[in-house]
């Protein structure tokens, strides 16, 4: 067998991407913020990168770690965290094959005004956007360009002034549904539609259920809308189109031009290595017959620590837990402890199982002496 092709993989959490890369026979060198046990196990090499002041990664630490771990021309795959930092993405990609969307594409697609204009031209409904704080502010949200994870979405009435990169968007009704896309720059295929949910205040992205419990016609319309927008921006590889769905009506909120949070649940539902499909699509090859969802419901959820806690030494992680925080790490209230996965006959059963598994993990952790 030829040696596995090395890849540089950079994302806030690289674990699901790294495991998917391994399943495709690739050798991922991972840069992420957590250095979880299962990320290290899947990675050919790994380094943890600290956050920057206003960015998910400290620029010089990220570039230094990339050069040390997997110097150019090792190809780059990027994930969550870099959408809001196209300049950093460009620096990271220098001298490498970029297996993913280019910084120019990211700049365009994360520009809320250009994005809304493109969607309207294609007949895809989007919420109204505004460069200033509208008066009255009722019914408006403030969001940050390139933001992710939901933490940047605020009620406009609670925002005194817009900061650089902030914009206002009209609040629309609906539940979050995401379409996983795969593009080769000319065509953009919808692979799967998943449900997503958030928890906490402010609401933060928490879980994914695949496939979504929606009727087939609506699934097809969402897939067409997401695919049309993906094609208009010339997207390559995996991407996700985030919608709010209200009965038979929907609005497209954004398209994340990179593999995203639904990767693991989608991969379980589709039974194929999505990173393998991603790399092939970035190199111009779309599958002749895209994988179809298997019967059953597949779900993942982030377990946010409800209070400060510590992972006990020697903790035996159950096989349904991922993003395994190393023992001895102090996880602060509101920080991610792990991700739980579940598979069941129905979506409701899968979500119940996730909740129970999340509770079991938290109960097995050691409490943390409170410090003031
Ligand atoms: N215009 C809106 N109207 C109502 N809810 C919204 C709107 N925009 C965002 N949200 C809420 O915030 C969540 C995240 O929004 P999104 O635009 O996908 O941001 P992120 O990039 O952080 O994922 C949505 O799933 C939804 O619950
Ligand atoms: Mg989103």
């Amino acid at each position: 067998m030829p040696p596995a092709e090395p890849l540089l993989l950079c994302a806030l959490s690289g674990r699901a991407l790294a495991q998917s890369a391994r399943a495709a026979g690739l050798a991922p060198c991972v840069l992420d913020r957590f250095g979880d046990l299962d990320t290290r196990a899947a990675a050919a090499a790994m380094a943890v990168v600290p956050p920057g002041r206003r960015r998910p990664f400290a620029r010089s630490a990220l570039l230094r770690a990339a050069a040390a771990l997997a110097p150019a021309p090792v190809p780059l795959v990027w994930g969550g965290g870099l959408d809001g930092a196209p300049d950093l993405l460009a620096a990271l990609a220098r001298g490498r094959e970029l297996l993913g969307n280019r910084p120019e594409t990211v700049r365009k697609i994360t520009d809320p005004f250009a994005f809304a204009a493109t969607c309207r031209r294609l007949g895809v409904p989007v919420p109204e956007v505004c460069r200033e704080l509208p008066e009255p502010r009722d019914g408006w949200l403030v969001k940050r360009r390139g933001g992710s994870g939901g933490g940047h979405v605020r009620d406009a009435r609670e925002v005194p002034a817009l900061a650089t990169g902030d914009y206002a968007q009209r609040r629309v009704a609906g539940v979050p549904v995401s379409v996983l896309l795969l593009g080769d720059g000319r065509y953009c295929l919808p692979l799967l539609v998943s449900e997503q949910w958030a928890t906490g205040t402010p609401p933060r992205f928490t879980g994914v259920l695949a496939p979504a419990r929606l009727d087939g016609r609506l699934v097809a319309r969402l897939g067409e809308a997401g695919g049309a927008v993906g094609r208009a921006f010339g997207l390559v590889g995996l991407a996700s189109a985030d919608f709010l769905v209200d009965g038979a009506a929907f609005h497209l909120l954004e398209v994340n031009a990179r593999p995203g949070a639904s990767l693991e649940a989608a991969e379980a539902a589709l039974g194929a290595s999505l990173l393998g499909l991603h790399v092939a699509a970035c190199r111009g090859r779309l599958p002749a017959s895209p994988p179809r969802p298997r019967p059953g419901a597949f779900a993942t959820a982030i377990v946010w620590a409800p209070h400060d806690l510590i992972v006990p030494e020697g903790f035996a992680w159950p096989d349904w837990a991922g993003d395994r925080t190393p023992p001895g790490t102090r996880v602060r209230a509101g920080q991610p402890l792990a991700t739980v996965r579940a598979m069941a006959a129905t979506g409701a059963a899968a979500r119940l199982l996730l909740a129970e598994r999340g509770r079991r993990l938290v109960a097995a952790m050691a409490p943390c002496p409170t410090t003031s």
Side-chain angles (χ1 to χ4, degrees), residues 192 194 208-211 261-271 274 298-300:
L192 183 81
S194 60
V208 177
L209 172 65
S262 70
L263 187 87
E264 185 169 26
E267 188 157 273
L270 295 171
L274 288 176
F298 305 84
T300 60

Side-chain angles (χ1 to χ4, degrees), residues 7 26 71 150 154:
L7 283 183
L26 303 162
R154 291 147 291 162

Side-chain angles (χ1 to χ4, degrees), residues 242-338:
D242 289 348
F243 291 88
L244 287 180
V245 171
D246 183 26
F250 60 79
H251 287 90
L252 177 58
L253 294 180
E254 61 168 357
V255 173
N256 298 302
R258 38 112 183 139
S262 70
L263 187 87
E264 185 169 26
E267 188 157 273
L270 295 171
S273 162
L274 288 176
L275 207 80
L277 291 178
H278 173 81
V279 169
C282 290
R283 290 176 171 162
R285 292 188 302 276
L286 285 179
S289 52
R292 314 261 312 150
R294 304 190 275 190
F298 305 84
T300 60
I302 300 172
V303 181
W304 300 106
H307 46 78
D308 290 7
L309 45 81
I310 294 182
V311 181
E313 287 302 328
F315 180 65
W317 287 91
D319 57 8
W320 41 257
D323 299 319
R324 303 172 176 184
T325 300
T329 310
R330 194 187 182 105
V331 186
R332 301 275 179 193
Q335 294 301 112
L337 167 65

